[in-house]
């Protein structure tokens, strides 16, 4: 596990700020099965005499999914860079995309007396109940970042991450717009989904299906055109190759992230078809590589998903250490969407301003 973190105490004292959601909108309920309680549970409120905790008092056990995408690389960088800036001691763990590794690391952090905050980017929506109970008993602050889980909201302080269902809605609206280029009975869309069990994949799929009927898109599953690409280029290219061998009657691809969209684009081109003309592609994340596909016209729309969550998450954890229960159980990120139709120059100008 990697340790980072420095800054004189005075700087951390100044660093204590009210939580300003870097990308958050107002409070809302998490899209999880369990209805969240009204407010986050109070961590042990400091006695009147106890000095307020600062970032220098924070030792974070951060359990990352792995390094499966450009989005993930930006998310990891956000937590490492922000920990250094704020003087937080960070113990970083890369689970190599294995749930059992995340649970094991969670248990280790629960046993580590120096760790007072545990941050989890959950690979799956279930599987953490025992370590969450253990963390609660050990008085650890638990904050979920990036992905929600199906656990009782009393088992964690708050969840800071995107509204993936809304992202799915945005993806369907973008796809319906792109499919106007085809007759109404030619709206067949193939789905290359994210990792099975990941809330980002579950909820983007749900949101897309809630709105795809607005323009007569049949359910990709009913067409036999839905399969996971596990967030990656090669696997998604193979999935799209198989779809195209099965049928050429595909007018759109709904890919759950940019790497999957890029893999699909490679397969479309190798099949002698033109992405952006013969088949419309919609991706998610809006990474630099996604922008390059928009600029080339090969991807038609890219729904943004913000990976730079560390400032909000660390601020929330500090509130928890100081017994502040004002935070809602879910702080959703605010994001946009980008379209090839914006044009090369406009997209280049936006890309030049982005950090990932
Ligand atoms: O879309 C993908 C990453 O949870 C929002 O996970 C994140 C997703 C993102 O692997 O690129």
């Amino acid at each position: 596990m990697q340790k980072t973190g420095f800054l004189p105490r005075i700087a951390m004292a100044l660093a204590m700020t009210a939580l300003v959601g870097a990308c958050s909108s107002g409070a809302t309920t998490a899209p999880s099965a369990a209805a969240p309680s009204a407010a986050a549970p109070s961590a042990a409120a400091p006695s009147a005499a106890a000095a307020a905790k600062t970032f220098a008092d924070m030792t974070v056990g951060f359990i990352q999914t792995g390094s499966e995408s450009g989005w993930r690389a930006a998310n990891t960088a956000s937590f490492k860079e922000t920990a250094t800036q704020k003087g937080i001691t960070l113990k970083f763990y890369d689970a190599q995309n294995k749930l059992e590794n995340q649970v094991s690391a969670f248990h280790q952090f629960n046993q580590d007396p120096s760790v007072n905050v545990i941050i989890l980017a959950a690979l799956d929506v279930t599987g953490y109940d025992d370590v969450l109970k253990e963390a609660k008993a050990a008085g650890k602050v638990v904050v979920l970042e990036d992905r929600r889980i199906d656990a009782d909201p009393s088992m964690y302080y708050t969840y800071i991450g995107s509204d993936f269902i809304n992202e799915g809605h945005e993806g369907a609206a973008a796809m319906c717009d792109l499919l106007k280029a085809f007759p109404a009975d030619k709206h067949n869309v193939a789905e290359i989904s994210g990792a099975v069990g990941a809330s980002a994949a579950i909820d983007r799929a749900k949101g897309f299906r809630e709105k795809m009927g607005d323009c007569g898109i049949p359910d990709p599953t009913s067409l036999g055109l839905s399969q996971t690409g596990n967030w990656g280029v090669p696997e998604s290219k193979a999935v799209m190759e198989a779809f195209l061998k099965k049928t050429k009657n595909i007018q759109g691809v709904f890919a759950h992230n940019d790497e999957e969209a890029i893999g699909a684009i490679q397969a479309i081109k190798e099949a002698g078809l033109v992405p952006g003309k013969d088949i419309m592609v919609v991706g998610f994340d809006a990474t630099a590589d996604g922008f390059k596909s928009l600029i080339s016209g090969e991807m038609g729309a890219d729904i943004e998903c913000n990976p730079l969550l560390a400032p909000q998450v660390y601020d929330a954890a500090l509130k928890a250490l100081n017994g502040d229960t004002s935070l809602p159980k879910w702080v959703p990120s605010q994001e946009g969407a980008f379209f090839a139709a914006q044009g090369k120059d406009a997209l280049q100008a936006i890309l030049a301003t982005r950090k990932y």
Side-chain angles (χ1 to χ4, degrees):
M1 293 180 187
Q2 177 180 344
K3 260 175 82 75
T4 60
F6 59 83
L7 267 188
R9 180 172 294 279
I10 183 67
M12 272 82 74
L14 296 174
M16 274 187 64
T17 55
L19 177 68
V20 177
C23 317
S24 68
S25 57
T28 182
T29 50
S32 65
S37 60
S42 63
S47 67
K53 294 268 194 288
T54 71
F55 288 120
D57 302 311
M58 196 184 285
T59 297
V60 169
F62 180 38
I63 305 164
Q64 183 54 290
T65 58
S67 52
E68 73 281 1
S69 65
W71 190 98
R72 189 63 54 196
N75 184 245
T76 291
S78 176
F79 280 88
K80 289 182 174 176
E81 290 164 9
T82 307
T84 301
Q85 290 155 13
K86 292 179 178 284
I88 292 166
T89 301
L90 177 65
K91 296 185 174 188
F92 177 85
Y93 179 77
D94 176 336
Q96 307 284 316
N97 287 301
K98 289 188 172 65
L99 177 62
E100 60 271 25
N101 289 349
Q102 288 201 320
V103 173
S104 162
F106 207 130
H107 176 66
Q108 282 183 49
F109 286 139
N110 283 339
Q111 304 303 312
D112 182 340
S114 71
V115 170
N116 50 12
V117 174
I118 295 173
I119 297 171
L120 172 68
L123 275 164
D124 209 308
V125 289
T126 56
Y128 305 94
D129 288 351
D130 293 345
V131 285
L132 286 168
K133 284 191 193 101
E134 190 182 56
K136 196 174 182 81
K140 310 279 185 181
V141 168
V142 176
V143 178
L144 305 178
E145 75 98 12
D146 170 23
R147 301 206 184 140
R148 66 169 180 82
I149 60 175
D150 288 343
D152 185 323
S154 69
M155 301 309 289
Y156 53 87
Y157 180 67
T158 190
Y159 158 50
I160 295 181
S162 299
D163 183 341
F164 299 121
I165 291 177
N166 185 61
E167 289 181 2
H169 292 163
E170 296 274 318
M175 182 60 81
C176 283
D177 195 45
L178 292 165
L179 292 178
K180 285 174 182 162
F182 300 94
D185 64 345
K186 286 283 182 191
H187 283 184
N188 294 327
V189 173
E191 175 183 32
I192 303 179
S193 56
V196 174
S199 61
I202 293 167
D203 291 351
R204 281 173 183 159
K206 181 175 191 291
F208 187 88
R209 282 167 172 74
E210 286 174 350
K211 298 292 183 185
M212 65 188 182
D214 291 357
C215 68
I217 296 172
D219 191 320
T221 307
S222 66
L223 301 177
L225 295 174
S226 174
Q227 191 173 327
T228 182
N230 270 316
W231 304 122
V233 173
E235 192 167 338
S236 301
K237 180 183 176 189
V239 166
M240 192 64 200
E241 284 167 349
F243 286 162
L244 288 168
K245 283 198 177 76
K246 185 178 196 172
T247 174
K248 289 284 192 301
N249 185 19
I250 297 172
Q251 289 77 42
V253 175
F254 158 48
H256 286 201
N257 80 341
D258 287 343
E259 282 76 10
E260 295 182 338
I262 289 163
I265 287 166
Q266 290 175 359
I268 291 166
K269 289 160 77 173
E270 288 182 12
L273 299 169
V274 179
K277 178 175 172 292
D278 299 320
I279 297 181
M280 304 301 183
V281 180
V282 171
F284 292 75
D285 288 349
T287 60
D289 286 343
F291 261 82
K292 287 168 190 154
S293 295
L294 287 173
I295 289 164
S296 71
E298 293 177 342
M299 187 169 3
D302 202 349
I303 311 305
E304 187 181 32
C305 180
N306 175 25
L308 308 179
L309 299 175
Q312 278 181 267
V313 173
Y314 288 142
D315 283 351
L318 188 61
K319 276 179 170 285
L321 287 179
N322 284 305
D324 181 330
T325 60
S326 64
L327 226 59
K329 294 303 290 179
W330 177 31
V331 181
S333 312
Q334 276 198 329
E335 293 136 350
F338 301 95
F339 308 92
Q342 290 175 261
K344 194 172 289 201
D345 293 344
L347 290 166
Q348 287 280 19
I350 295 167
L351 177 57
T353 68
R354 292 171 68 83
K355 289 184 73 175
Y356 63 96

